[in-house]
Amino acid sequence: MCTQTFEGALDNESGLREAIAGQDVIISVVGPSSPFAPNTVFAPAYKKIFAIMRAENVKRIIAISTLSVYDPKDKPSFIRWLLVTALWALGHKAWKAVIDISKVFDNEGGDIDWTLFRVGFLADGPPLTVVDGTVGDGKIGMYLRRADIAQWTLAQAAEVPPKFVHEKPAISSIRP
């Protein structure tokens, strides 16, 4: 698998087009990086990314989200409720940005093979074992190593046919 990394501004349409054109799969880790991040940047950027993907005939995107986004398959989790409530109260702009991104995928991603993978707290360190599932299934924890994001997303990008299309799996790190 050949991979390319592009860095640029989310409002730079020509830069986005250059990054998207000719790709088989887009892996995006675009989203708020602090509780005080603006909540008006990311949803419009994903709308633009979807439009460019359609124009460039790119059908697959795998993008990061958080456990603030609910999936109908999730089961109740007190820890998740506590964490999401704390983020809602203390970092409402970031929470709103994440929810708005999810709405873009739900409402405007119908013809795109999207996966919105949900994470809890991120940590540095060497890779562990990454698992995917749903909140409350007994497998998914609240922590994920950044190295495991790379491992999981690259594995998903290589899946043929793609797995988790129009789904929101939760992923977390576990010790082997």
Side-chain angles (χ1 to χ4, degrees):
M1 175 188 323
C2 176
T3 59
Q4 294 177 292
T5 303
F6 291 88
E7 185 176 334
L10 292 173
D11 61 354
N12 180 340
E13 188 166 339
S14 64
L16 287 171
R17 187 170 304 280
E18 179 184 345
I20 292 169
Q23 303 304 316
D24 295 318
V25 180
I26 306 299
I27 296 174
S28 174
V29 290
V30 170
S33 59
S34 81
F36 310 107
N39 63 343
T40 57
V41 173
F42 303 104
Y46 272 111
K47 288 179 183 182
K48 190 174 297 190
I49 288 167
F50 280 0
I52 294 169
M53 288 177 69
R54 287 181 183 99
E56 296 295 332
N57 202 30
V58 176
K59 299 292 184 199
R60 182 87 171 112
I61 184 169
I62 302 166
I64 196 167
S65 188
T66 73
L67 297 178
S68 292
V69 171
Y70 285 84
D71 183 272
K73 295 178 237 160
D74 290 343
K75 293 179 178 66
S77 166
F78 177 74
I79 294 171
R80 186 245 200 116
W81 175 85
L82 188 63
L83 296 174
V84 171
T85 301
L87 179 59
W88 180 87
L90 302 173
H92 191 74
K93 284 184 176 184
W95 175 87
K96 175 119 173 62
V98 167
I99 298 304
D100 289 347
I101 290 168
S102 176
K103 289 177 183 177
V104 169
F105 278 72
D106 286 338
N107 298 332
E108 300 191 24
D111 59 337
I112 305 256
D113 290 345
W114 59 262
T115 300
L116 200 59
F117 67 95
R118 301 172 300 144
V119 304
F121 292 109
L122 299 178
D124 292 326
L128 296 171
T129 299
V130 64
V131 294
D132 51 53
T134 58
V135 172
D137 67 4
K139 296 188 310 185
I140 298 300
M142 294 293 138
Y143 291 92
L144 178 69
R145 296 259 174 106
R146 287 176 174 87
D148 291 335
I149 291 174
Q151 172 193 348
W152 189 86
T153 56
L154 289 173
Q156 293 307 307
E159 287 276 342
V160 177
K163 190 175 178 185
F164 299 118
V165 173
H166 294 176
E167 293 188 31
K168 300 172 186 169
I171 67 172
S172 65
S173 300
I174 60 170
R175 298 207 180 271

